[in-house]
Amino acid sequence: MEFYRSHVLVCGGTPCVLEGCKGVRDALVAEVQRRGLEREVKVVETGCLGPCDLGPVIVVYPEGTLYQKVRVSDVPDIVEEHLLKGRVVARLVGEAPQAGVVKYEEPKYLGVQERIVLRNCGVIDPESIEEYIARDGYRALARCLTEMKPADVIEAVKKSGLVGRGGAAFPTGLKWSFTAKAGADQKYILCNADEGEPGTFKDRLILEGDPHSILEGMAIAGYAVGADKGFVYVRGEYVLSIERLGKAIEQARALGLLGQNVFGTGFSFDVEIRKGAGAYVCGEETALIESIEGKRGEPRVKPPYPGTEGLFGKPTVVNNVETLANIPPILLNGPEWFRRVGTERCPGTKVFTLTGDIKNKGLIEVPMGITLRRVVFEIGGGIPGGRGFKMAQTGGTSGGCLPKELLDVPMDYFTLPEHGSALGSGALLIMDDSHCIVDIARCFMEFFKHESCGKCTPCREGTARLYEIVDKIARGDGQPGDLELLEELGAAMQATSLCGLGQSAPVPIKTMLKYFRDEFHAHVHERLCPTGTCGI
């Protein structure tokens, strides 16, 4: 094995790709060769490092220096000053809290983050199965196949307290047990990588940065429930995710880690990729199943649930990307290890995509139960431009909107619903006090009106009426009783809609009316937009 005195990690996540990281990587490789350093310095393209708004980002180890917004023209300086003379190029370090010289063991740019799901992202070359194996990759699968019975695997996942990270927070071990008990000649494992919430891109970056962890998690699930076939349903526009996942599948097959007789144990499991066409509703598990079967992506009436009657009518486990990424470390380190992080009711971590009016945008992983205040002001660096914090929408467009009075509420799947919100898929949208709450509501409702699949009347008609009423209020044509009508209509949609789309569409409106009612009242009764945004 080659030994290198320095490693230069180049973030290869989509945000950095869009900023030109491929050119920076190529320039680094060329400059290192021109200087005759190729036997001393290794350039590695990794998955997402996290600070997505600072790209292209590179980290030089063993010093652990993070350089931000690196251009091709900066490369000669980095090689000359840092890799040859050992001096940090100060002008590229920046002033952001996550920038600067860090230690490998305690990277400063990660701050208070705890990385379980993202343990390999930004550390290994995601296109190298050898690097994944070197980080204990596929060791959990080997342990399950050689030392544990399927029931033991399910029991370990139950004891870990892992709940689904897609939004519903259903206990993962319990879900697996339903499929394990179901009698059938064929069972399936589906990975839901169809994250459609605006502002959410964590699953994409996990797939780009650590695709083998998802394959390993799926194979373990397959062994636990008796399935030998898996599908990853991924958004078609996630080109880099699909490319890297495809390579990972081929690599795993070549080493006998997927396919027939895995590890010589007689267990067989293989995975195929299915591309989605971008419909928001296909994030719902039964609509996803319909789409894989070649039908229009629409939700099914439940019960029966997929656990006993799913893909092609067979028992099927549907887990999302983040849930599956948790499986290998839980089986490798034990459920007690997993429960040391997070809260008693909700162990583990949560991956968020931090966007909006905040200084440090990007991908973060934090313990369950962390407060919104710490995420916004400690990790996110606060609100830029001297503006004040107005609200945070948790869980994507279908999530609730929390005011500054709730900055200290613990963020987990069970506490946020007590305040009308949800942790959901992990999107975290921050807005400063320059925004009008009615204008934001109009934007959200327009999204749901467009994305409703139209199968059930409460959602099809309800999303359109919600938008019409909010739009009327924003134009200054609101009438007394409109706010009560919004609440009544939202309650009816939540009680009668067929799937989570129609049930969750009213959530942002309900929390806005609860916490920002004065602004709605000013629009309706005073014909006034307090922020001057709506033009009335």
Side-chain angles (χ1 to χ4, degrees):
M1 182 176 178
E2 299 284 350
F3 176 81
Y4 298 91
R5 66 172 171 82
S6 292
H7 283 78
V8 183
L9 306 188
V10 181
C11 178
T14 292
C16 279
V17 170
L18 296 174
E19 293 294 333
C21 77
K22 299 286 188 183
V24 171
R25 177 204 59 193
D26 293 344
L28 276 164
V29 171
E31 187 67 11
V32 165
Q33 288 178 344
R34 191 180 75 81
R35 294 280 190 165
L37 299 174
E38 64 269 26
R39 297 183 67 84
E40 303 175 44
V41 177
K42 176 78 170 177
V43 179
V44 180
E45 181 179 330
T46 71
C48 181
L49 285 161
C52 297
D53 60 336
L54 300 180
V57 170
I58 71 171
V59 178
V60 181
Y61 285 116
E63 300 89 342
T65 304
L66 186 146
Y67 291 123
Q68 63 184 49
K69 297 185 182 297
V70 178
R71 302 299 169 198
V72 170
S73 57
D74 297 319
V75 168
D77 261 5
I78 294 172
V79 175
E80 169 77 16
E81 291 298 315
H82 194 140
L83 298 177
L84 268 176
K85 299 178 179 177
R87 298 188 297 220
V88 172
V89 183
R91 66 181 177 82
L92 296 175
V93 169
E95 299 177 352
Q98 71 270 52
V101 180
V102 298
K103 295 180 180 178
Y104 178 80
E105 297 80 6
E106 298 178 68
K108 183 179 177 182
Y109 65 87
L110 295 183
V112 300
Q113 297 187 54
E114 180 88 25
R115 290 203 158 193
I116 296 176
V117 173
L118 303 177
R119 60 195 179 279
N120 292 324
C121 292
V123 178
I124 65 171
D125 178 354
E127 297 188 9
S128 168
I129 192 172
E130 290 80 10
E131 293 198 17
Y132 180 70
I133 291 172
R135 297 268 296 175
D136 287 335
Y138 291 105
R139 192 172 150 211
L141 176 61
R143 173 173 291 178
C144 291
L145 297 185
T146 59
E147 301 176 15
M148 303 174 73
K149 296 177 181 177
D152 298 332
V153 176
I154 293 175
E155 189 60 25
V157 175
K158 281 183 177 179
K159 286 182 177 177
S160 74
L162 176 69
V163 298
R165 295 324 198 220
F170 193 84
T172 303
L174 184 61
K175 176 183 278 192
W176 288 12
S177 71
F178 295 150
T179 302
K181 292 174 184 173
D185 58 350
Q186 177 69 61
K187 299 179 184 178
Y188 295 103
I189 305 296
L190 302 186
C191 173
N192 184 348
D194 193 65
E195 58 178 355
E197 292 283 359
T200 307
F201 48 87
K202 66 178 178 58
D203 288 350
R204 183 185 73 197
L205 296 182
I206 294 169
L207 285 171
E208 290 176 2
D210 197 14
H212 283 287
S213 69
I214 306 307
L215 299 180
E216 186 177 7
M218 292 178 71
I220 291 172
Y223 174 69
V225 306
D228 63 1
K229 186 73 179 179
F231 293 94
V232 179
Y233 187 84
V234 57
R235 299 182 75 79
E237 64 264 38
Y238 282 10
V239 176
L240 188 56
S241 298
I242 295 169
E243 178 185 323
R244 288 182 173 166
L245 190 61
K247 287 181 180 177
I249 291 172
E250 292 303 318
Q251 290 172 344
R253 285 174 180 162
L255 293 186
L257 300 171
L258 285 180
Q260 300 294 316
N261 196 25
V262 177
F263 286 117
T265 60
F267 169 69
S268 299
F269 187 81
D270 208 349
V271 177
E272 293 183 20
I273 300 172
R274 290 290 183 271
K275 300 177 187 176
Y280 176 77
V281 73
C282 285
E284 197 277 338
E285 59 183 3
T286 59
L288 180 154
I289 289 171
E290 289 280 302
S291 180
I292 292 179
E293 291 181 355
K295 304 169 188 171
R296 179 172 177 166
E298 292 181 338
R300 295 176 177 172
V301 176
K302 293 181 281 188
Y305 293 94
T308 54
E309 192 173 326
L311 185 64
F312 302 117
K314 304 296 184 181
T316 302
V317 169
V318 185
N319 287 140
N320 85 330
V321 171
E322 187 180 349
T323 307
L324 289 165
N326 274 294
I327 297 300
I330 288 174
L331 272 300
L332 196 58
N333 302 302
E336 295 78 15
W337 169 86
F338 186 73
R339 296 193 73 97
R340 86 195 195 289
V341 181
T343 67
E344 177 66 25
R345 285 197 301 172
C346 199
T349 60
K350 185 75 191 83
V351 181
F352 289 101
T353 45
L354 201 54
T355 60
D357 300 319
I358 194 158
K359 289 181 180 176
N360 307 321
K361 304 178 182 67
L363 191 70
I364 65 170
E365 182 175 1
V366 293
M368 286 284 188
I370 193 171
T371 64
L372 182 58
R373 184 185 301 279
R374 292 192 70 189
V375 171
V376 173
F377 293 98
E378 193 170 335
I379 300 174
I383 312 299
R387 305 293 310 197
F389 172 90
K390 180 161 189 170
M391 60 155 251
Q393 188 180 39
T394 63
T397 304
S398 60
C401 300
L402 304 179
K404 59 184 178 183
E405 289 78 11
L406 295 179
L407 276 168
D408 293 311
V409 169
M411 296 175 66
D412 63 49
Y413 281 108
F414 303 105
T415 305
L416 285 181
E418 296 170 0
H419 300 276
S421 190
L423 206 52
S425 61
L428 193 53
L429 175 66
I430 310 301
M431 292 212 169
D432 68 29
D433 56 9
S434 67
H435 296 276
C436 167
I437 205 73
V438 177
D439 188 52
I440 298 170
R442 177 168 56 180
C443 177
F444 291 168
M445 293 306 105
E446 186 173 17
F447 170 78
F448 286 118
K449 179 171 71 79
H450 175 75
E451 291 293 346
S452 175
C453 76
K455 182 171 182 176
C456 74
T457 303
C459 179
R460 183 182 64 246
E461 297 300 321
T463 52
R465 299 291 87 75
L466 285 177
Y467 171 73
E468 287 175 2
I469 297 169
V470 175
D471 180 57
K472 186 177 66 169
I473 295 172
R475 288 187 281 104
D477 295 328
Q479 299 296 319
D482 278 348
L483 304 189
E484 291 73 18
L485 180 57
L486 285 172
E487 292 172 322
E488 184 180 352
L489 178 55
M493 290 173 63
Q494 289 186 305
T496 59
S497 292
L498 181 58
C499 80
L501 197 161
Q503 294 163 7
S504 60
V507 170
I509 282 284
K510 290 182 68 175
T511 51
M512 286 173 169
L513 288 171
K514 181 177 181 180
Y515 299 118
F516 302 95
R517 201 176 189 90
D518 288 350
E519 279 195 48
F520 280 92
H521 191 277
H523 283 74
V524 173
H525 297 280
E526 302 171 31
R527 301 289 190 265
L528 172 68
C529 174
T531 64
T533 303
C534 293
I536 60 176

